[in-house]
Amino acid sequence: MRKVLMALLLLPLMATAQTVTSPNGNVEVKFSLDNGRPTYEMTYKGKAVVKPSHLGLELVKTKHASKGMEETDLMDGFTVTDTQTSTFDETWKPVWGQTATIRNHYNEMAVTLNQPASKRNIVIRFRVYDDGMGLRYEFPQQNELNYFVIKEEHTQFAMAGDHTAWWIPGDYDTQEYETVESKLSEIRGLMKDAITPNSSQTPFSPTGVQTALQMKTADGLYINIHEAACVNYATMHLNLDDKAMVFESWLTPDAQGTKGYIQTPFNTPWRTVLVSDDARDMLSSNLILNLNEPCALDDVSWIRPIKYCGVWWELIVGRNTWSYTNEYPSVRLGVTDYKNSKPNGTHGANNENVKKYIDFAAANGLDEVLVEGWNEGWEDWAGHSKFDVFDFVTPYPDFDIKMLNDYAHSKGVKLMMHHETSSSVMNYERWMDKAYKLMNQYGYDAVKSGYVGDIIPRGEHHYSQTMNNHYLHAVKEAAKHHIMVNAHEATRPTGLCRTYPNLVGNESARGTEYEAFGGSRPDHTVVLPFTRLQGGPMDYTPGIFETKLDTWSSNPSYVHTTLVGQLALYLVMYSPLQMAADLPEHYEKYMDAFQFIKDVAVDWDDSKYIEAEPGDYITVARKAKGTDNWFVGGKCDENGHKAVVKLDFLDKGRKYECTIYADAKDADYETNPKAYAITKKTVKKGDTLKITEARGGGFAVSLMAK
Amino acid sequence: MRKVLMALLLLPLMATAQTVTSPNGNVEVKFSLDNGRPTYEMTYKGKAVVKPSHLGLELVKTKHASKGMEETDLMDGFTVTDTQTSTFDETWKPVWGQTATIRNHYNEMAVTLNQPASKRNIVIRFRVYDDGMGLRYEFPQQNELNYFVIKEEHTQFAMAGDHTAWWIPGDYDTQEYETVESKLSEIRGLMKDAITPNSSQTPFSPTGVQTALQMKTADGLYINIHEAACVNYATMHLNLDDKAMVFESWLTPDAQGTKGYIQTPFNTPWRTVLVSDDARDMLSSNLILNLNEPCALDDVSWIRPIKYCGVWWELIVGRNTWSYTNEYPSVRLGVTDYKNSKPNGTHGANNENVKKYIDFAAANGLDEVLVEGWNEGWEDWAGHSKFDVFDFVTPYPDFDIKMLNDYAHSKGVKLMMHHETSSSVMNYERWMDKAYKLMNQYGYDAVKSGYVGDIIPRGEHHYSQTMNNHYLHAVKEAAKHHIMVNAHEATRPTGLCRTYPNLVGNESARGTEYEAFGGSRPDHTVVLPFTRLQGGPMDYTPGIFETKLDTWSSNPSYVHTTLVGQLALYLVMYSPLQMAADLPEHYEKYMDAFQFIKDVAVDWDDSKYIEAEPGDYITVARKAKGTDNWFVGGKCDENGHKAVVKLDFLDKGRKYECTIYADAKDADYETNPKAYAITKKTVKKGDTLKITEARGGGFAVSLMAK
């Protein structure tokens, strides 16, 4: 009887819905309690984007429950005790980025909920932008909620239809899958084939997918679900109820299957939904960066965009090796006598070869030279769950670390450090400080780190709370040493580069290396900007000119773009860190095309997305930082594309020297990838460029202000 | 048909048994193949100690098996390809110990086994001493055996009868149980009650027990099973088949349930069986130390035995606190503003209190003062699986680290550092180098570390391979900083202090703190020397004079010995690190008795076990290092004991000033614990001391050469 009475008393509160709209009114988010369960819905220009969806967290019941009491979920039984709304409008300057300034303009609603049964209060905060919204859970410090353990977060995203989605399989350990384009209802049937082999992988559900998830509705809305500011929290996946078309958050577990250890006060990452009826808005959105905290570093003078080449592609392709010797069945750091071992003759990171790259970088204005395989341990680094796999400080006998750095510096070039951890994370943390100090000693200012294989601590996953904390720990410690970080195989970014701009790059998706492992589909790079790049830049390592690998190695793979398509990636795949990944001797055969890589900027005052359709094509124009020069790039899928670029972004009354790097008429990524045409002309604001992109091709344009 | 033929062909080899005997012939170990399964047995003076028992390792089948092939167990299918025997006799000097020199004298047999199915070779090595034997598995580096993952080690110890055993429950996370004395057949029935609560505990089997396991046979043989040199390997438990009376090794698993990642060449720890018909030989055995590698440190000049007091017992008893403030529901390092928080008024590690201990140490010849609770984070350090729980470098506002160290040093005393990790091991490793450097900066030379609560990385156990590697990592890194380590709650020692003599102590058993948590039985300290102390010294922290805690605190517990029984522990519980654990003001009431703690040595040129029976009594005489002085101690259980000490170890013709600290006639650990009598006389070689030990009592004697 008392229960019924309680329900009746709560009825008025449950019925109350609170609404917040975006500054221009296009996006509206409504919050309500559904029988005590937090619920939200979202519309765009009146159309349903997220239908009424529940929010809440399920807690581990028995763990750390004091006094033997069972833990109470933060799922239902709530009443609204307070609602605060506010408006925020600020323009900030990123240390590096696609634009010189970024406007952060939103309307906010913070709903305070009380759960009488547990005497606990939580806050659900919504920030509503013209191009989407973010929501997060906040747990103030309070006597009844100091520590808790998450069993699962149950944030729902109820879709209004069977949308088209560009998805990759949900997985706790890899993001290196090809994107599948399908209806939501088709995910289950396509999942098995979508899960291709990887050195560490843990798929978890036949309808589990990763974020950022790009969708398109039947009536032309583009919807993108991701997260922002994932700090001290597990990475979110989405699991689809493919009858109701409801996505629900699915966090990455730790070795015990639990999903997060929380101490209050604490805020979860933002759960973000981008929406627009124009695909270009997906690419130009700054919503995720805006939902991250401002820069946490006092001094950012040492952070700089980087164009680099390096000893990498020849290793990936298999012509040379990371390892130094084949003499031993296995090696041990500090025990194996490398100096007296027989070199295998294929070690890539040798003095002579590295000097060749340094010379090439110096001659062509590249900032740095990455050298992989410089340090002891590569003979048996992968697949053995080897704890003491690398020490990050001991060079191979044929890599003279002092001489090579001195040589590079004498030519105005820096070496880029490489820390492959083999996912032996406890070992990396033991060596991290010494490794960063070594970098300082020899003048390295950037490190490419790697997390190939299963994680140690064993049972942990690449995207668990502990590992996410590790990646950020590495970035913060690096900042103390004025070191930039480019972490491969780490968790997918969520805009943390705003707060820690020394995180200049991540991989976290299928990079160019897969072109040497059988290839990626031509549409890959016109999907990634909609998905992977939402959270931050990717070190995609483009620039492969000799796309048929069997012309210079025994690798039968080929790159699934034209040569010009590779040039386009320097613009389409935004990153402050861009590699010219091919071998110097390959570039030297096509120096007219390489001129574009020399010219193109890696930091921008402005960016204009001109054309875009997920999986089909992207065309973007960018204004080089601190100059009046523009660069335009277009990339397309296997169907080709006819790009139309109206030059209305140029300065009025000014002339520009325009160099167009286009696919030749008969170019084709499969049959004729290296056919290109370079044309020059003078253009002005209002002119239009019409450029045909070949199958798997693209184009690149430089516009130098006269 | 082929199978039968193979079996027939192998028959001659299977039948071959190889035997190795101890130098004096008392111990004999026989190896044979039982249908391809390695098998050993062991006798003492012709009596069965270990009946025929199988040896072997079961491997994880699917993990890291290359090319999809299933892994082959290293259990059977073996043939003997080589047998090598040899003799070793060497005398070495420990850096500290019970004797000035240690003789390492054994006969060895190494049997090389080939497993034709896998083309793998392993070696089983036996070292047979007059007081027992050790065996280990060795895996040479070979093409067919480079890496493997252990599912379980199946080393059997088949007992010849239903022996009496002194056992504690097998557990992956705690050793802090009271010993149960029972027949082997009674273990199962007694297990449930034996598992008392602990802050982290994972019992695994109703017949699983820990080593060192002390047993006694019906015909008077003492048998002890343990391990030596546990390096890069999980700690072994013993699981009893209580029908066949066969113990089998049961390793501690990692978070995924696997038990060891091995890279060859590799040797397992030694599996040891001590045996004698004299219980005293169990205590004087050096077999486990001898099976460890020689000292690995070039410079040991900085390692020294230590007598210390400190801010500890008052915290354990509950009169003061480790924490500084009660103001916050929880705290965060680097965020919580301790300086402006309200002190709780009970913080023990405050300047004034620490100076009191320093003064006491200086006045009484104690070397160091331990201070627990000196650093930020104690407000919510336990039970929350808190990753960033301590930083090991930030003192509380009322602990002036520089002033206090300077003050101590000015009086010839050092402070002892305290690193409670709360088992957040990844966090400790992040801070370890900075923490050791801080110690160097302020002149600390020893650290007590602690591992209370469940391990982070979560799912790992206190005694897993990864954690064992961590403890040794901490010791090795400490050595680089000339720091001695005394690790509490770490894995039970296996003689590694021979190789790393800066590992001056461990807890790894139920220490004196339990006397404040309800108490330990009086026989506890006449069991531990037979069990826990086999692998190395224990920081038992004796010396509690005010045994009834309610006389000075609100703690209702009492110490289950007499005051004199506490004095006896400085001899019976050998350790190069001895605490005078009670409060200075308590000692000041009994300075005549405290004189023994002042006088007693902590390092020895010789030790003579005079009387011993597990769980009943131990009497030992020790000669102080570099002197002609002897100290004798006797401890007994709840039944009292009449000790007879024949002084035949004294120098002939020399006189000794003998001070006897004995229980008073009416002393009793429960009713009259502080009644003692101190008598002095002059003695000479050949004299006999007859001393009555009270219930739960003991005695202590100093013999100063005139």
Side-chain angles (χ1 to χ4, degrees), chain B residues 127-199:
Chain B
R127 288 186 180 164
V128 183
Y129 293 80
D130 290 340
D131 58 357
M133 73 101 199
L135 71 86
R136 73 178 180 192
Y137 304 87
E138 300 182 357
F139 309 99
Q141 191 178 49
Q142 54 199 292
N143 282 328
E144 300 300 329
L145 191 60
N146 266 299
Y147 306 92
F148 58 94
V149 184
I150 297 172
K151 184 172 178 190
E152 188 58 274
E153 178 186 324
H154 294 286
T155 300
Q156 296 183 339
F157 305 86
M159 297 293 98
D162 187 11
H163 306 329
T164 298
W166 288 265
W167 57 274
I168 60 173
D171 196 295
Y172 299 149
D173 285 295
T174 188
Q175 297 144 152
E176 297 181 354
Y177 292 121
E178 282 220 85
T179 303
V180 182
E181 178 182 333
S182 81
K183 294 283 182 192
L184 296 180
S185 57
E186 295 168 335
I187 290 175
R188 183 183 297 272
L190 295 168
M191 181 61 74
K192 199 183 157 194
D193 286 345
I195 299 171
T196 47
N198 196 274
S199 67

Side-chain angles (χ1 to χ4, degrees), chain B residues 416-434:
Chain B
M416 186 183 293
M417 177 48 80
H418 185 229
H419 289 170
E420 173 55 51
T421 68
S422 191
S423 290
S424 183
V425 173
M426 288 184 73
N427 175 60
Y428 186 38
E429 292 204 0
R430 283 185 186 174
W431 286 100
M432 189 179 285
D433 196 57
K434 292 183 191 76

Side-chain angles (χ1 to χ4, degrees), chain A residues 420-601:
Chain A
E420 173 56 50
T421 67
S422 191
S423 291
S424 183
V425 173
M426 288 183 74
N427 176 59
Y428 187 37
E429 292 204 0
R430 283 185 186 173
W431 286 100
M432 188 179 284
D433 195 57
K434 292 184 192 76
Y436 287 155
K437 281 180 178 154
L438 185 92
M439 290 179 61
N440 288 156
Q441 180 184 347
Y442 290 110
Y444 292 87
D445 71 349
V447 60
K448 173 182 175 179
S449 59
Y451 295 87
V452 170
D454 292 342
I455 299 291
I456 304 177
R458 297 184 183 105
E460 280 288 340
H461 295 294
H462 279 74
Y463 316 136
S464 66
Q465 181 188 32
T466 295
M467 282 303 299
N468 285 347
N469 287 350
H470 162 79
Y471 305 129
L472 190 54
H473 174 68
V475 170
K476 288 179 177 178
E477 291 296 307
K480 293 179 189 166
H481 293 270
H482 286 196
I483 288 168
M484 292 173 276
V485 174
N486 164 28
H488 283 227
E489 296 91 20
T491 207
R492 43 193 168 279
T494 58
L496 290 174
C497 56
R498 177 182 178 187
T499 313
Y500 304 97
N502 66 315
L503 177 58
V504 290
N506 273 114
E507 186 183 43
S508 310
R510 194 174 164 97
T512 293
E513 68 209 57
Y514 279 85
E515 297 286 18
F517 305 159
S520 295
R521 290 198 320 270
D523 64 354
H524 188 54
T525 50
V526 285
V527 171
L528 287 178
F530 286 94
T531 54
R532 162 61 185 79
L533 268 56
Q534 291 293 357
M538 177 172 176
D539 183 31
Y540 189 72
T541 67
I544 308 303
F545 280 13
E546 286 294 355
T547 63
K548 305 277 191 184
L549 306 184
D550 62 1
T551 60
W552 62 278
S553 77
S554 57
N555 189 319
S557 294
Y558 67 97
V559 179
H560 288 56
T561 70
T562 62
L563 185 152
V564 167
Q566 290 288 310
L567 297 182
L569 298 178
Y570 292 86
L571 291 157
V572 169
M573 295 284 286
Y574 165 69
S575 174
L577 188 77
Q578 290 284 15
M579 188 174 197
D582 212 340
L583 280 55
E585 54 264 42
H586 296 167
Y587 288 133
E588 279 155 7
K589 291 193 287 177
Y590 311 97
M591 285 308 283
D592 56 348
F594 186 73
Q595 186 63 41
F596 180 79
I597 298 179
K598 289 175 68 170
D599 291 342
V600 68

Side-chain angles (χ1 to χ4, degrees), chain A residues 64 147 265 332 380 429-430, chain B residues 147 265 332 380 383 429-430:
Chain A
H64 304 288
Y147 306 92
R332 281 180 206 256
D380 60 356
E429 292 204 0
R430 283 185 186 173
Chain B
Y147 306 92
R332 280 180 205 257
D380 60 355
E429 292 204 0
R430 283 185 186 174

Side-chain angles (χ1 to χ4, degrees), chain A residues 180-226:
Chain A
V180 182
E181 177 182 333
S182 80
K183 294 283 182 193
L184 297 180
S185 58
E186 295 167 335
I187 290 176
R188 185 183 297 273
L190 296 167
M191 183 60 76
K192 198 183 156 193
D193 287 344
I195 299 170
T196 47
N198 197 274
S199 67
S200 175
Q201 61 188 150
T202 313
F204 58 83
S205 160
T207 57
V209 300
Q210 301 193 32
T211 69
L213 176 70
Q214 181 63 49
M215 288 173 283
K216 185 177 182 181
T217 71
D219 56 352
L221 280 193
Y222 299 88
I223 300 172
N224 188 296
I225 304 178
H226 192 35

